[in-house]
Amino acid sequence: MSDVPFGFGLPDRDPERRDQPSPNDPFGFSALFGAGGAGGTPEELLGKMPLFAELQKLMNWSGGPVNWDLARQGAISGLATGTQPTSEAERAAVTEALRLADLWLDQVTDLPSGVDRAVAWSRVEWVEQTLPAWSRLIDPLAEKVVAAMTSALPQEAMAMAGPLAGLMGRMGGLMFGAQVGQAMGRLAGEVLTGTEVGLPLAPAGSGVLVPQNVAEFASGLDRPADEVRLFLALREAASLRLFAHVPWLRQQLHDAVHAYARGITIDREAIERGLNDAMGSMGGGFDPSNPEAIQELLGSGLLEPEETPEQQMALRRLETLLALVEGWVDAVVAAAAGERLPGHGALAETMRRRRASGGPAEQTFATLVGLQLRPRRLRDAATVWGAMSQRYGSAERDRLWSHPDLLPTSDDLDEPLDFVARQGVDDELRALTEEAEAQGGAADDTVDPADGQDGDSPTR
């Protein structure tokens, strides 16, 4: 799991810095719940803060467990001085790169193109266009965390909170919105394509590159910019082929995240023990109507969900699926670009290091569900797909995507070449079975029971 529960961070306890904006708290939550904020209703506290005075209307958010209006504003405000609009030349270059990428991929996979339109997004456009996908992914998690928190608090504490109890849900939405906005702002400054986080975030059929980020990425490499762009276009186009023509894949990934969310529970006894400890540290007077006391409870880790065996299974399934997607993309792009792009090997290794050092995909899922994508899994998955192609051809390789039960499991990835070898045995057994069935059917067709006498063979 991640070090802090999703949506909540530890308060800053340094009195000299408490009133200063923190890089981890650009929306001023520490000031809202700090000692300087004590005294007055929550609405009065909000009104005293310039930013929240402008955003006070967001407290009326009723669209779900995450305040996506605040998330959008937070993400875009963090990019205000660092984003550039896309130019006509950049849009043309992205369109040409994706067109050429699809031509190359046609020669190494039977899966048809998944790109209906090529788009070049600015960082702000990436934030705005991917919000619906983030909402579908994150809302179930946030809803379960809020529900688990509410159910875990003792009834006495909730009763004592009075009017503040009704405000807690909205504050939870604000806190989730603030954290999601921060994460999206960071991602928007890094992501190179529409599928880099492991899921297609753009509208269906949209092949996306972010030219500003691509240019910054290429500037640190010893390769021509157009070669880097084409390499990334190949990865984007390959990912979209998979998601467009494996109809169950996207849903399986979401189901794994939601299966984790369904298991979120919080130990009520641990909450009660924590409240007793809090009362002792406060002289026996824990006051749930005090925003500072509530923020201290939220930041203490008491409300962090406990991970169940079912959740561990869901995370393992999610990790394996993401590794299989990434590994297939690696293998297919290598087949398409190996002899065409001189710098393919170096670019592929750069992408592997990028993932291993904590790229956008790892950061995103670690924030959402405590999932760390292990580079070993990605390499093992790429080994499976590369070996399948070499031994049986691209059609047999891609046939494994026809049903989720055909894919390698996490245990299979421990010995990827053994999995590949078993596919040949399975194919031989299947061929023998089909041959036996065909011969049996042919024998049945040659015998007419009316022709036999006393069990003798019929006369020909």
Side-chain angles (χ1 to χ4, degrees):
M1 291 292 293
S2 55
D3 294 335
V4 295
F6 177 65
F8 303 103
L10 293 173
D12 192 344
R13 305 186 189 280
D14 185 347
E16 295 183 358
R17 297 190 309 168
R18 185 171 289 171
D19 295 331
Q20 299 177 6
S22 166
N24 297 321
D25 185 25
F27 299 98
F29 286 119
S30 60
L32 175 62
F33 291 108
T41 67
E43 288 78 6
E44 290 172 343
L45 292 175
L46 293 176
K48 293 177 182 179
M49 303 174 62
L51 177 59
F52 275 94
E54 298 176 4
L55 299 178
Q56 190 169 0
K57 64 179 182 296
L58 296 177
M59 289 297 296
N60 296 322
W61 170 265
S62 60
V66 178
N67 192 318
W68 289 103
D69 288 346
L70 180 59
R72 175 184 175 277
Q73 292 184 23
I76 292 177
S77 66
L79 293 170
T81 59
T83 186
Q84 301 172 0
T86 57
S87 67
E88 185 61 37
E90 288 172 331
R91 290 191 288 272
V94 167
T95 298
E96 176 59 22
L98 285 167
R99 184 195 66 79
L100 184 56
D102 260 341
L103 289 176
W104 289 5
L105 290 170
D106 284 339
Q107 302 174 36
V108 296
T109 177
D110 292 336
L111 294 179
S113 173
V115 179
D116 296 331
R117 54 194 171 280
V119 292
W121 281 347
S122 68
R123 292 170 175 175
V124 170
E125 288 173 322
W126 184 89
V127 169
E128 293 178 330
Q129 295 293 331
T130 61
L131 274 173
W134 286 120
S135 177
R136 289 191 295 272
L137 185 66
I138 296 174
D139 275 346
L141 287 164
E143 184 176 8
K144 287 294 294 184
V145 170
V146 171
M149 284 172 20
T150 303
S151 64
L153 288 175
Q155 294 300 318
E156 295 82 358
M158 292 300 296
M160 291 173 62
L164 187 62
L167 189 63
M168 288 183 67
R170 286 179 288 167
M171 286 305 304
L174 282 175
M175 290 179 179
F176 277 114
Q179 183 175 4
V180 171
Q182 289 178 346
M184 289 185 66
R186 289 194 299 270
L187 283 170
E190 299 176 1
V191 291
L192 304 170
T193 68
T195 58
E196 191 180 356
V197 301
L199 285 168
L201 299 175
S206 297
V208 178
L209 266 65
V210 183
Q212 182 178 357
N213 294 347
V214 171
E216 292 183 3
F217 176 69
S219 66
L221 305 175
D222 188 23
R223 302 306 310 171
D226 57 347
E227 184 176 299
V228 175
R229 184 190 307 111
L230 181 54
F231 170 76
L232 295 173
L234 280 164
R235 293 186 57 83
E236 175 77 346
S239 295
L240 289 179
R241 286 182 182 229
L242 203 56
F243 281 103
H245 301 292
V246 181
W248 50 264
L249 178 57
R250 188 191 306 246
Q251 190 60 47
Q252 287 262 328
L253 287 165
H254 279 86
D255 286 348
V257 175
H258 297 167
Y260 179 89
R262 286 194 298 272
I264 292 177
T265 58
I266 295 177
D267 188 345
R268 185 182 182 117
E269 293 183 358
I271 294 292
E272 292 177 348
R273 289 194 300 270
L275 285 173
N276 290 332
D277 293 342
M279 290 179 183
S281 65
M282 297 180 183
F286 175 77
D287 181 7
S289 65
N290 181 352
E292 184 181 4
I294 291 178
Q295 175 65 2
E296 185 172 347
L297 176 64
L298 295 177
S300 67
L302 286 175
L303 299 182
E304 183 170 359
E306 295 185 344
E307 196 171 279
T308 65
E310 292 77 15
Q311 288 176 298
Q312 292 173 357
M313 290 178 60
L315 289 182
R316 194 178 187 188
R317 178 61 175 163
L318 177 59
E319 179 188 55
T320 301
L321 275 174
L322 290 170
L324 290 172
V325 170
E326 287 279 334
W328 186 87
V329 169
D330 282 354
V332 170
V333 169
E339 298 181 358
R340 294 184 174 99
L341 284 182
H344 167 263
L347 290 171
E349 183 59 31
T350 297
M351 291 301 294
R352 283 192 287 267
R353 290 199 305 267
R354 176 180 169 91
R355 293 196 295 267
S357 62
E362 183 177 357
Q363 294 171 5
T364 300
F365 283 98
T367 299
L368 294 181
V369 294
L371 172 67
Q372 299 291 335
L373 287 179
R374 292 174 291 177
R376 180 176 64 86
R377 299 284 83 179
L378 298 176
R379 290 183 183 271
D380 292 339
T383 298
V384 166
W385 299 121
M388 283 292 298
S389 181
Q390 290 177 2
R391 186 163 182 174
Y392 308 115
S394 60
E396 280 299 298
R397 175 199 64 202
D398 297 344
R399 182 183 63 83
L400 295 180
W401 288 107
S402 62
H403 193 279
D405 290 346
L406 297 177
L407 289 176
T409 64
S410 179
D411 291 338
D412 290 329
L413 293 185
D414 292 336
E415 299 292 343
L417 295 182
D418 287 351
F419 171 84
V420 173
R422 288 199 304 272
Q423 303 311 301
V425 174
D426 292 343
D427 289 342
E428 291 175 5
L429 291 174
R430 184 167 54 252
L432 289 173
T433 301
E434 292 173 352
E435 181 179 355
E437 290 176 350
Q439 291 177 348
D444 291 342
D445 291 342
T446 61
V447 177
D448 185 346
D451 293 337
Q453 300 293 329
D454 298 329
D456 295 333
S457 298
T459 303
R460 293 187 181 276

